[in-house]
Amino acid sequence: MKNHYNRRQFLRLSGSGLSGLALLPGIVSGMKSSVPTERVVETAYGKLKGLQSDGFVTFKGVPYAGSVSGANRFKRPAELKPWAGVRDALQLGNPSIQAPNQTYGINEPDPAEDCLFLNIWTPACDSAKRPVMVYNHGGGFVSGSGGSAMQDGANLARLFNVVVVETNHRLGLLGFLYLDELWGDEFAGSGNRGVQDIAIALKWVNENIERFGGDPYNVMIHGESGGGMKTSALYAMPEAAPYFNRASIESGPGLKFKSPELAAETTELLLSDLGLTKATAHKLLQMPAVQLLEAQLQLSKHGMRSLVSSFEGIGASGVGGFSPVVDGTVLPVHPFSPAACEISKNKPLLVGWNEDEQIFFSMFGGDLDAFKLTNDGLKSRLEKNFGDEADRIISTYRATRPEASPTDLYIAIYSMLSMGLGSVRIAERKSEQGGAPVYLYNFGYKSELKVPGTDYELGSMHAMDIAFKFYNVAATKGPNGTDIPGMAGSREERFQASRNMCNYWTSFAASGEPSAEGQPQWKPYDLNTRPTMRIDSQCALIDDRYASELAMWREILEPKTN
C-alpha cells in the first residue's frame, strides 16, 4: 500500500515552539514578547547584524568558508574573504543541492552549490563563555539543512544557557564523490568534502564564537540520523579533532564508512551513466549542478546499504550511494571498527537510539501493512531476512514482551537492527578503549499521535527526539486560535521529558557528565553492568537492557570463528 502522506508537511508540524515566540509551560512564565532589535557583532572577517529577541540573539546565514562552485567544485572551499561594512545575518543560508522538498526551514532559500553557511542562537553576545553545541542535521548524506524548524535553537539557547550552532555543508555527489584516484593530489579528500566542510565550520567556531558568548574550548558536536553518522566521522578526523571536546551520536551509529575501492566503483558508474570516460571526466567540472543532481538520483538505483547484516552500523552506503570514505587522509580510519578510534580516546561520548525507530521508516516507506501484521505476516517478513531463525527471533522478543502485538514485535526487532545494534557496539568499543567515558541511552517518550491511515501511535519513532532535545514541543496556534500539536503530541508530560533530555544534553556539553535535576544519576557504560538511560518524563537507568535480544543477535549476526 502506497503512503500518500506528505513527509514535508508532516515534519513541518514538529517545528512548534519556534524562535522563542511561544510561551513554554512550566519554564517561561511572565515573559513578554517584544519586537526584535538589531544586534551587531564583529567577527574575524567582518561585522554581522543579527536579531535580539527576549532571551536570545540569532545570526542566520553566516558564511564560514568561501566558494565551492566553479573552479572549487569537489575541492576544499576557497578561503573566506573579509567584507567591509555590516553584513546582514537575518535569513537562513542556501542549503546544499538536493532533491526537491527535503528542507524544512522557515523562509529558507533554494538549494545552491555555494552553501557553506551556519546559524547561531545565543542567550547573549557577551563574555560569558557558555558551552557551545554544534548540531549536524539529518537527511543521510544527501538531504537536509541546518535551518530545519524542528531543530531551531532558540529555546535551547535561552532556557539552558548554551550557544547553538548549525551548519549547511555539501551533500550527495558534490560532497562525497571520490575522485582521488582519477585526478590526484589536487582533489585528494574529495570523497569526504561534506564532513570536511563541517570541520572547517568548527575551526570558524573556534576563531569566532567567543564574540557570541560561547567558549571556543568547550564545544560539543552532535547530530541525529545522518547527523549522527557525520558526528561519527568527525570523531575520527584529524582536521576536526582540535575544535571539539565531546560528542553525541544520536540514531546514526556510523562505525564504518566506505572503502576507496567501493567509492571508486561508484565513480565509475557515474561516469558510465553520463556517457563519460576517465579521459573525459573533466566535464564533471563544467556540468550544471542540477544535471549532477539528476545523475545522482539515477545512480542511487544501483545499490542500497543493508540495515540488517551485522553489528557494524549504517555509515557505509553501497555502490551508487554517497557517504564518507576511509581515504587514509581526511578520514584515516573507521571511527569504531575494529575498535574506537585513538584520536578521540579522551573525548566523552553519548550514543543511543529511539525505542521505536522503525515506525518512521515504515510510515515514510509506504509500508502501512506493517501496522496491521498478523503472527504469520511477522514470521514471513523475518524469514525473508533470516530464514530458519525467524521463529527463534520471535520467541526471544516475545519472552520479554508477552503482551506485544505482531506489529509491536516487528517495530522492536527492526528498530534494534537499524539503530540499536550499532549504538551498543559503539558503547562497547568506546568502553573497552579505557579512555573518556561513554554513556548509552534510549529515547522512550511515546507520542500519542497516530500514523496517518492507521490506529497505530507514532511512539518513539525515528526523529521524534529532535524536537525534545531542542525544547520545541509546544503546540502552535492555528488561525482560529486552536492548538496545533507538533509531532510530540499533546500530553503535558512531553514538557518534562523534553526538559530532562535538554538538561542531560546541556550538562554533558558543559562538563562531559550528563545530569538532570530530579532524575537518576547517569553512570558511564561498562561491560559488566551495561547501564542504559531511558529518556522519558521520568527517566530510568536500566542495567543490561535488551540482554537476551542482544545475545541472540550476536549469535545470529556475528561471524563464526573456529
Side-chain angles (χ1 to χ4, degrees):
M1 179 177 179
K2 291 288 288 182
N3 184 355
H4 59 82
Y5 204 69
N6 186 309
R7 180 174 184 267
R8 182 178 177 85
Q9 293 173 343
F10 185 83
L11 287 180
R12 277 193 178 277
L13 289 176
S14 62
S16 53
L18 298 179
S19 302
L21 299 180
L23 300 185
L24 306 181
I27 289 280
V28 185
S29 58
M31 179 181 287
K32 298 179 180 179
S33 62
S34 62
V35 177
T37 58
E38 295 178 355
R39 182 73 163 86
V40 175
V41 169
E42 185 162 9
T43 73
Y45 299 93
K47 294 180 180 179
L48 289 170
K49 179 169 66 179
L51 289 178
Q52 183 162 348
S53 300
D54 289 315
F56 68 98
V57 190
T58 59
F59 296 83
K60 297 181 178 180
V62 177
Y64 64 83
S67 175
V68 290
S69 64
N72 296 310
R73 180 180 283 176
F74 305 127
K75 296 180 182 179
R76 284 183 62 91
E79 293 293 325
L80 181 61
K81 296 179 180 179
W83 58 84
V86 179
R87 179 179 180 129
D88 283 353
L90 308 175
Q91 182 180 358
L92 297 171
N94 300 92
S96 178
I97 295 289
Q98 57 192 278
N101 299 324
Q102 297 299 305
T103 62
Y104 311 106
I106 296 173
N107 298 321
E108 191 166 21
D110 292 335
E113 192 165 357
D114 281 320
C115 62
L116 304 190
F117 301 99
L118 56 78
N119 309 311
I120 302 169
W121 295 263
T122 179
C125 298
D126 54 21
S127 58
K129 291 189 176 181
R130 299 170 181 84
V132 181
M133 301 179 72
V134 180
Y135 186 74
N136 299 312
H137 70 75
F141 295 100
V142 296
S143 66
S145 78
S148 172
M150 182 160 49
Q151 66 204 35
D152 184 283
N155 290 333
L156 189 64
R158 74 172 187 185
L159 300 175
F160 298 90
N161 200 34
V162 294
V163 177
V164 179
V165 180
E166 299 175 16
T167 70
N168 291 347
H169 40 269
R170 282 174 282 184
L171 299 168
L173 183 155
L174 291 167
F176 299 96
L177 181 63
Y178 182 68
L179 299 166
D180 299 38
E181 296 175 7
L182 191 65
W183 289 333
D185 291 346
E186 189 178 5
F187 290 86
S190 57
N192 289 302
R193 293 298 183 226
V195 285
Q196 190 174 50
D197 291 344
I198 303 173
I200 292 169
L202 290 172
K203 184 175 184 290
W204 188 98
V205 168
N206 179 264
E207 294 171 344
N208 293 279
I209 205 65
E210 193 167 355
R211 298 172 173 89
F212 298 87
D215 184 348
Y217 304 106
N218 192 8
V219 176
M220 171 182 168
I221 59 172
H222 67 130
E224 182 270 348
S225 193
M229 291 185 279
K230 293 166 194 170
T231 303
S232 297
L234 291 163
Y235 203 69
M237 287 173 54
E239 190 168 349
Y243 306 121
F244 73 94
N245 307 89
R246 49 195 63 92
S248 176
I249 298 168
E250 302 149 8
S251 295
L255 282 82
K256 297 180 68 174
F257 288 107
K258 187 178 285 190
S259 69
E261 294 76 18
L262 191 61
E265 188 176 347
T266 297
T267 303
E268 290 176 8
L269 280 171
L270 173 70
L271 296 179
S272 177
D273 284 356
L274 290 171
L276 301 176
T277 65
K278 291 184 178 180
T280 59
H282 63 275
K283 293 183 179 180
L284 291 172
L285 300 173
Q286 285 81 46
M287 287 181 179
V290 66
Q291 185 177 353
L292 293 179
L293 175 61
E294 290 171 357
Q296 174 188 313
L297 297 176
Q298 179 65 31
L299 194 65
S300 66
K301 299 176 182 179
H302 286 290
M304 296 295 290
R305 66 176 181 261
S306 170
L307 297 182
V308 296
S309 60
S310 73
F311 269 60
E312 294 302 288
I314 59 172
S317 60
V319 176
F322 291 97
S323 58
V325 181
V326 180
D327 58 6
T329 53
V330 175
L331 184 57
V333 298
H334 295 294
F336 297 98
S337 182
C341 59
E342 190 68 19
I343 195 171
S344 289
K345 178 178 180 178
N346 296 319
K347 295 181 179 182
L349 181 67
L350 283 175
V351 61
W353 76 101
N354 298 355
E355 288 178 347
D356 307 320
E357 300 272 2
Q358 183 60 33
I359 292 173
F360 178 98
F361 299 116
S362 293
M363 179 168 63
F364 291 122
D367 182 20
L368 296 191
D369 289 341
F371 301 107
K372 51 184 180 181
L373 287 178
T374 63
N375 288 325
D376 288 343
L378 172 62
K379 182 176 179 180
S380 176
R381 287 181 176 229
L382 288 170
E383 285 176 338
K384 291 178 182 178
N385 290 126
F386 301 105
D388 293 341
E389 297 283 7
D391 285 331
R392 178 187 180 190
I393 295 169
I394 293 170
S395 63
T396 299
Y397 274 77
R398 176 68 69 195
T400 56
R401 300 164 176 81
E403 304 301 321
S405 70
T407 289
D408 294 339
L409 295 180
Y410 176 78
I411 297 302
I413 290 165
Y414 281 87
S415 297
M416 176 67 78
L417 286 167
S418 65
M419 301 294 173
L421 299 183
S423 299
V424 170
R425 182 61 90 214
I426 286 176
E428 290 174 342
R429 289 179 176 165
K430 178 66 176 173
S431 179
E432 287 170 351
Q433 190 177 38
V438 57
Y439 301 86
L440 183 66
Y441 76 90
N442 294 138
F443 177 77
Y445 181 86
K446 309 295 184 188
S447 172
E448 80 282 8
L449 297 186
K450 301 294 178 63
V451 173
T454 80
D455 290 324
Y456 204 84
E457 294 183 348
L458 297 180
S460 303
M461 74 174 190
H462 186 68
M464 181 63 70
D465 57 310
I466 300 175
F468 284 79
K469 74 186 68 165
F470 285 96
Y471 206 80
N472 289 334
V473 295
T476 55
K477 292 294 183 183
N480 59 357
T482 59
D483 285 345
I484 302 175
M487 193 164 66
S490 300
R491 293 192 293 120
E492 188 69 18
E493 292 88 346
R494 72 191 189 279
F495 292 104
Q496 183 61 53
S498 185
R499 284 195 291 271
N500 291 340
M501 193 168 198
C502 290
N503 277 322
Y504 276 128
W505 261 242
T506 57
S507 61
F508 180 76
S511 68
E513 297 180 9
S515 62
E517 184 177 357
Q519 299 301 314
Q521 179 185 356
W522 193 341
K523 297 178 182 178
Y525 191 84
D526 67 80
L527 299 181
N528 294 317
T529 58
R530 299 177 180 268
T532 301
M533 183 64 76
R534 184 179 185 275
I535 308 294
D536 203 334
S537 55
Q538 176 58 49
C539 300
L541 190 69
I542 305 169
D543 285 344
D544 209 6
R545 194 175 195 201
Y546 305 122
S548 59
E549 294 96 328
L550 289 169
M552 177 200 67
W553 288 124
R554 287 189 175 94
E555 292 183 9
I556 292 175
L557 297 177
E558 290 187 330
K560 301 296 188 294
T561 57
N562 295 324

